[in-house]
Structure formats: C-alpha cells, structure tokens
Amino acid sequence: MLPFIRSDLAQLTAYSSHSKERLDDGNRPEPILVDRLDTNESPYDLPDELKQKLAWTLQTVIESNRYPDGGHESLKSAIAEYVNDSAHLTSHAFTADSVSVGNGSDELIRSILIATCLSGAGAILVADPTFSMYGILAQTLGIPVARVGRSPTTFAIDLNAAQTAITTAPTPIRVVFVVHPNSPTGNALTLAEIDWLKSLPSHILVVIDEAYFEFSQTTLVNEVLHRPNWIVLRTFSKAFRLAAHRVGYAIATPELIAVLEKVRLPYNLPSVTQIAAQMVLSHRQQLLETIPLLLQERTQLITDLRQHPWLTVWQSQANFVYVTLNPTQPDQHTLEKIHQTLNQQGTLIRHIAGGFRITVGTPTENTRTVQRLLDIR
C-alpha cells in the first residue's frame, strides 16, 4: 500500500462491470454472440431517428469549446414535468427546484453521503442483499455501514433488526437506503416496510431508489411532498435506454435539493448528455412502448426457468429476474460453475448474493438463456 493512501482502502475492491468481460479465450475459431444480461440495461437501443437527431445536434449545435449548462435548468424542468405526469400530480407539484441531476445515480448517492455523514457525522443503514454502491461509496468516504438482513422467503427487510440498528448503532444512523423494487431480488417495498420508513424520525434521511419505476409503476414520490426527510432517486439508464450517457436524478424538497447542489461537482453532465435526456423525455411515449413487451418477456422468462428442477425463480417487479439454487441441485453444479458455463457460451448474467440476477432481454436472448440453463443438468 502506498504510504500516502488511507489504510482502510486496502480492504476495498474497485467496482468492475461484468458486461465488459472478454469471452474470447483465443481458442475459438470465431467470436461468439454475447447476450449481456448482467447489468439491467434495456436490450433496445435508441431508435435510429433519435440517434441521428442527437448526432446532428452534436455536430451543428453543441460548441465543444464551451462548458455545458452547469445548472441543468431546462433538463430539470423537463424531469419535473415527467415526474408530475407519471405520478398523476398537478403540474406544479414538483418544479425544477425539486430536482437535482447527477452523472448517474451513483453521483447523487455520493452527494447524499457527503452532505449527511462525512467527517464522522453519521452512518448509513442498508438491508442486504441490495444495490452494492450504497455500501461501496460509503466505505470509500470512510462512512460506517450498518447492515441488516432480509427474509429468506420474501426478501422483505428484517424490520426488527433495522429498528435495533437505528437505536443501538455506535455511530448514529443518518441515512437509510432502500430500493423500490429491490435489486437483485426484484421485490417492491411492503406496506409494513413503508410504514416503518414513515415512522423514522426527521433527523434520518430516507432514500427511496426507484431505478426500476417504469417497470414496477410503483412510486413513493408523492411522499416527498410532505416529508422533508425523504428523497427519491431515479435514472435514465434503464427504461429510457441512456445507460451510455449516465443520467440520474433526485426528487426532494427544494431545501434538500439546494444542499445537494452545494456538493455537486460543477459541469457534471456533458452538453450532449443533457440534450439526450431532454430528447428521450420529449419522446417518452415512443420509448416506453417497449415496457409492456419487456414485462411480457419477464413473465415468460420466469415461467420457462421454472421448468428447471433445481432452480428457484422469484417473482419480480423490475426488468430482471432473481434465481437461486434449491437443495436438489447436483453437487457439481455450484453457482460459480454455472456462471462460468453460461459465460463461456456467451450469456452474461450477474452472480450475486447467493444467486443469479438475469436481465430481461429480447425474446431471442431470453430463449437462448433459458435453453442454456436447461441444458445444465
């Protein structure tokens, strides 16, 4: 370890994207077709006409020698309009002052941590398994992470353990992170979980990550209107097909948003990215037409995978399916071996939390994935 680097960073491993794994081992006569079902992206790219429009904008409108709009005003207004519309709220329920935009939701999570817990001010609470970046980003900032479990049969948060952590954690809990629906397990928050979150005192920030809102159509954004200690995170990387552009956004009271803006890096979103996000919002009806197809494919994927005698396939409200092995599987077929077999055949899925998270892909990709798993006996 370099002497000028914090010693605790030696315990961390850099995040890596599994979709970038190289599948060609040098011995195959030709490259294999890769189904990238490990990062919950949309399997569909932007329509050609929108990509051409974006390319034209980059070529003729954007001045590369000029900084992007550092305040994101046009984009934040468009996001506020979309949030109001999708939640069936009045047109002025949320405004641009209620929105902060980040380079992916990861940047917003980091800003939340900086604003709440840095310098020993507090710890965060997460319920594992869940989105790993909450814990990873907290650890990179030297912020303690309190972890509780979930029910093995429903994946609901262990609320007794969570309440105990709130009251007994050596460093006061300042932020509770939950995903709605959760990743990698795909379950939405229950009424009991929501009631518990509502019961938390106002000095604890409740972060509801709704990265998969467009698939679940279940949101708690209305709660933000009368709960100043709640914040909702969303992303353009999934349903809106902009994973390459890295755009996330937060919805909260203007007072809380103003704090996030204080710790946000300047010019954090390139001009072309801001324009791309505004463009997909203005064409959202067209782009979101694939959602019913993906939900239909999700149902079919679950049904087909349940044909396998030793797979347990869980219900999902997101654009992925969580699969675990039941006790009847042969000893030679461990999770790691199955993962490696699929990888070698060209199917990338996420090996995580004692199971597999499989993104819902195109019908062809899903059929291939099912067949490859069924062939492993």
Side-chain angles (χ1 to χ4, degrees):
M1 191 72 172
L2 298 170
F4 45 81
I5 301 298
R6 283 168 32 205
S7 60
D8 60 306
L9 293 185
Q11 310 302 317
L12 302 183
T13 302
Y15 183 86
S16 63
S17 173
H18 293 267
S19 65
K20 304 305 180 186
E21 292 177 1
R22 298 299 180 184
L23 299 181
D24 187 0
D25 62 6
N27 297 319
R28 297 186 180 94
E30 58 185 28
I32 61 174
L33 182 65
V34 178
D35 296 332
R36 296 191 295 181
L37 307 180
D38 60 332
T39 50
N40 297 345
E41 303 151 325
S42 170
Y44 303 107
D45 200 348
L46 291 179
D48 287 343
E49 64 270 21
L50 295 188
K51 295 191 78 171
Q52 290 169 9
K53 181 179 180 180
L54 192 59
W56 178 87
T57 302
L58 178 60
Q59 184 175 12
T60 62
V61 177
I62 294 175
E63 297 175 280
S64 296
N65 60 313
R66 303 298 181 188
Y67 285 111
D69 175 9
H72 318 127
E73 292 306 315
S74 296
L75 176 55
K76 291 197 292 187
S77 294
I79 290 172
E81 177 190 351
Y82 169 63
V83 172
N84 290 331
D85 182 58
S86 62
H88 308 292
L89 298 169
T90 63
S91 59
H92 301 294
F94 291 108
T95 65
D97 292 339
S98 308
V99 179
S100 184
V101 185
N103 193 281
S105 296
D106 293 344
E107 183 186 18
L108 292 163
I109 294 166
R110 195 169 188 270
S111 292
I112 289 169
L113 293 171
I114 291 172
T116 56
C117 297
L118 212 56
S119 302
I124 70 168
L125 175 67
V126 299
D128 287 329
T130 195
F131 183 44
S132 62
M133 288 308 296
Y134 308 133
I136 291 172
L137 289 171
Q139 289 176 292
T140 64
L141 295 170
I143 294 171
V145 181
R147 301 179 184 273
V148 298
R150 292 176 177 268
S151 164
T153 56
T154 66
F155 298 118
I157 299 169
D158 184 338
L159 295 180
N160 290 330
Q163 188 60 42
T164 298
I166 292 288
T167 56
T168 64
T171 303
I173 302 296
R174 297 291 290 273
V175 187
V176 174
F177 285 97
V178 293
V179 196
H180 180 52
N182 188 50
S183 177
T185 53
N187 56 302
L189 289 169
T190 64
L191 290 177
E193 291 170 312
I194 294 170
D195 286 343
W196 177 75
L197 292 171
K198 290 179 179 179
S199 75
L200 293 176
S202 59
H203 64 266
I204 294 177
L205 177 63
V206 176
V207 181
I208 313 290
D209 192 336
E210 294 186 351
Y212 305 98
F213 158 69
E214 284 80 12
F215 303 97
S216 72
Q217 285 299 304
T218 302
T219 180
L220 293 171
V221 75
N222 300 42
E223 296 292 335
V224 170
L225 294 170
H226 53 274
R227 296 186 185 276
N229 65 320
W230 280 41
I231 185 169
V232 167
L233 301 180
R234 290 186 184 169
T235 180
F236 284 84
S237 295
K238 313 299 182 184
F240 281 108
R241 319 183 199 181
L242 287 188
H245 289 272
R246 306 293 296 125
V247 189
Y249 61 96
I251 309 110
T253 62
E255 182 181 13
L256 180 50
I257 291 298
V259 174
L260 295 185
E261 290 294 287
K262 290 181 180 181
V263 298
R264 176 177 60 81
L265 292 174
Y267 308 118
N268 59 326
L269 282 189
S271 297
V272 68
T273 290
Q274 294 186 49
I275 290 173
Q278 292 181 69
M279 183 181 70
V280 298
L281 283 175
S282 64
H283 291 81
R284 59 182 178 267
Q285 184 174 358
Q286 174 189 2
L287 293 175
L288 297 180
E289 286 178 350
T290 60
I291 299 297
L293 172 61
L294 288 170
L295 297 184
Q296 180 180 337
E297 281 297 309
R298 183 186 69 193
T299 299
Q300 189 63 52
L301 182 61
I302 291 172
T303 299
D304 292 344
L305 288 174
R306 283 179 173 169
Q307 297 176 32
H308 204 292
W310 35 270
L311 292 181
T312 298
V313 187
W314 302 86
Q315 286 299 128
S316 172
Q317 295 194 45
N319 68 329
F320 56 82
V321 174
Y322 188 59
V323 178
T324 54
L325 300 184
N326 61 44
T328 63
Q329 94 277 5
D331 292 338
Q332 70 269 25
H333 290 309
T334 63
L335 285 169
E336 184 57 35
K337 288 182 179 178
I338 294 171
H339 183 254
Q340 290 175 356
T341 299
L342 293 177
N343 186 297
Q344 291 165 0
Q345 293 174 337
T347 294
L348 294 181
I349 62 175
R350 187 72 185 271
H351 178 194
I352 184 173
F356 297 130
R357 191 191 66 196
I358 306 173
T359 305
V360 179
T362 64
T364 300
E365 290 173 333
N366 297 332
T367 298
R368 246 191 318 260
T369 299
V370 169
Q371 189 57 58
R372 287 168 176 170
L373 273 168
L374 291 176
D375 287 342
I376 302 175
R377 296 294 182 111

